[in-house]
Amino acid sequence: MIGPRVEELSDSDAKVDDDFESMSDDELPPELTRTAWASVPELFSCPPPIRDELETQTSKLQDKTIQECLPFLTGKGLKDWQPQLNSHGIPELSRAAHVEFLQDALGDYPPQFAVMDASRMWILYWALAGLSFLGEDIAERVESMIYTFDAAQHPSGGFGGGHGQLPHLAPSYTAVLCAALGATPDSYDFIDRKAMWHWLGRMKQPGGGFSMCADGEVDTRGAFCALVIISLLNLPLELPADSPAKEAGVETFVDGLAKWIASCQSYEGGIGGAPGNEAHGAYTFCALGALCILGPPHETIPRYLNVAALVAWLSSRQYAPEGGLAGRTNKLVDGCYSHWIGGCWALVEAAVAGPGKPGAGPPPSLWSREGLIRYILCCAQGHYGLRDKPSKHPDAYHTCYNLAGFSSAQHVYSYDDAQTEGDEEEEFQGPLSAGFHWRTRDVEVGEVEGKVFDEGDRVAAMNPVYLIPWGCAEKMRRYFEGKVGF
Amino acid sequence: MPKYAEDPAWSDVEPLPQNDGGPNPLAAIAYTEEYSEAMSYLRAVMASNDMSERVLDLTEDIINMNPAHYTVWLYRAKVLFNLNYDLRKEIDWLNDTALKHQKNYQIWQHRQTIINRLGSADGETAFIAKMFSKDPKNYHVWSYRQWLVRRFELWDEGEIEAVEGMIKEDVRNNSAWNHRWFLVFGRDSSAHKEQDVIERELEYAKKAIVLAPQNQSPWNYLRGVLRYAELPVSHVRDFALGFAPADSPDDVRSSYALDLLADVYEEQHQKEEAIKALDLLATKYDPIRARYWEYKKNLLEQPTAAA
């Protein structure tokens, strides 16, 4: 997982949210029986066609999850969830409720939330990005956001999880993304770029990768977080003189990095946290995101990864009838993989499509957008916020990444060697600008098997590498390209 | 109740109070007095690089209130090493803490730091087994196990047997399959390239498939071994046909067999057969992936596909 999950910090695992407990129709009092959603295709309403008889812990959990999701997928037998339906007869996006949930996530927390002390900066990103995806203006939050991050900025560079905490790549990544979301010179300039450059120099490893903090783990998150920071802040690629990796002959932040990422691809085709680790959705997104900053996807992804194995593995992460996405082989669907797996598709489809040519058709669509949209609208959203699956409580983490995945399912992305659409200014200068060359448009009928969302259910387009709304990453990069020196 | 402020052992330390970030901090936590005070003392000792034994008590106190605090763990490790503290005692304490906080991963990073310094893996496998009895797919524990195997060269120290036990317990435990791969193919020797090892691994995967053919883990393993050994997928053609007979499309017992056969047909230039298999996947046996099967069909049309 890219960062500590609020859900994992709480004791929500064993609990079933009473509101959403499913029952069979005959148990329902008459006033609560409801009509099902409009006709749901068999694919999303019946168990899969092949089922082995041998029972193990994995198959029991999978069967249980299907039984848990079916009432939500079909609308049959739900106790007291009476959502507004969209014109396709399935629940609409409860936009106002999710906005309120994320606004509340930025508010105060009671003492038992001390376990989130080191992941507070994540909450800021999840909530502010999530609000932006929902079309909310976050301008009035920007000043508080700057103050909050600034208290966590470390004098020796980078950001910690809070005041006095050691600098770490995860909160540094969220700080830079929130600065980009703020989109004002004030929100850009509170980051001490020179100190950040020096600190990142100490995280760079002789083997090419990055450690998350001093004496911390070296994993694919580190590679991705570091490249996001370096490219958005337009930091020099040369390592500072005080970087320990220099002694091993490493000269720049990118030396050996793509090769190290390549060594994390497992025999299954997905990518793990470190060489030898199991293929995992979150690490796979980080690896692909990193490669898409290092260069155009159609160049870097095939150069460093086995694309056929990668696509096969990614595709296997989508299950029916759930429609949602799972993070590893033989694991359960979980709303957060709407992004970690769902977000990989834009990058992989661009890699498969090859260099964009004028007049070329859209990249091939390799996954079921309809399946994911159904999972998110029917299973992942509750009254208030979005969640892993119906039996789990919503939290800011799952709300953000379900919405990001929802956006991926609603938009088509393609890579353009020229530059980002609508950006009439001159070409991006300098290295690591590949992440600013994306184009997007709304998904069209025919690209989604059956269209099951209305315009009212649409969330904002985003930069598929930086995971912030369209234009924010490009604007920040231009700002720092315009600066001379630090 | 102030704990540290009234303790003579801490009288020389001036606590550094919390700064949540300006007048209206976002996502601010109303810490308990106990937590807030302990953190103020931690900030102070870190600022003065205090490495005395009392810091161990302070960090333990904070970890008990918030085990997900990487800063506390990192500083604790520094102090332990500085004091030449008995690292066995640290591991005993960690065992209890890790079992209490299953999903916490700072604990595993700390454990790795301590065991690395200790230079001995004694007792680690037994403890890992205890963790797996609660969650046999815990990613952090598996990563730690791989680090341990590499660091102490435990390749032949009962690892394969342990992993076989876990696969026997749940043949769908993909983390265990991944560890097997790591043990057989992840080591820096050439023994694993030998023909008998390849055959042994193919047989192992096949036996598991027979138990439950619609289980992707051994199919992925099988494909991985074939790719690694640079064998054609048609090497397992007859085996796969046992689960997806070509002349009887209603009797498919494994969509993964059908998927593999589509590749076999492609390899053997039986384009019509490949299309039939992919269509069957798209319409009947794995329709959620219809666009992927369609994409594979399109690849058949491209000239490079025949190469």
Side-chain angles (χ1 to χ4, degrees), chain A residues 52 58 117 166 268 278 315, chain B residues 31 35 70 139 170 214 289:
Chain A
D52 288 326
T58 298
D117 196 12
L166 294 170
E268 292 194 274
E278 187 182 2
S315 163
Chain B
Y31 304 104
Y35 185 80
Y70 64 90
Y139 202 84
D170 183 352
Q214 187 61 7
R289 299 170 67 193

Side-chain angles (χ1 to χ4, degrees), chain A residues 441-465:
Chain A
R441 61 170 172 75
D442 295 348
V443 71
E444 285 169 8
V445 176
E447 288 170 330
V448 54
E449 300 78 1
K451 194 180 174 208
V452 287
F453 66 94
D454 291 337
E455 284 314 298
D457 300 322
R458 200 180 276 283
V459 298
M462 58 182 187
N463 181 304
V465 175

Side-chain angles (χ1 to χ4, degrees), chain A residues 125-190:
Chain A
Y125 167 71
W126 295 330
L128 293 171
L131 287 167
S132 307
F133 298 152
L134 289 167
E136 289 295 296
D137 183 2
I138 58 157
E140 61 180 37
R141 298 284 196 172
V142 172
E143 193 185 345
S144 297
M145 183 272 290
I146 295 171
Y147 272 117
T148 308
F149 273 110
D150 206 27
Q153 185 157 216
H154 200 274
S156 70
F159 290 78
H163 171 221
Q165 299 184 30
L166 294 170
H168 190 286
L169 265 168
S172 300
Y173 162 87
T174 62
V176 172
L177 290 184
C178 287
L181 281 167
T184 66
D186 282 348
S187 82
Y188 298 154
D189 285 330
F190 83 91

Side-chain angles (χ1 to χ4, degrees), chain B residues 113-127:
Chain B
T113 307
I114 303 298
I115 291 290
N116 186 42
R117 172 70 76 110
L118 198 55
S120 157
D122 288 354
E124 287 306 280
T125 325
F127 180 71

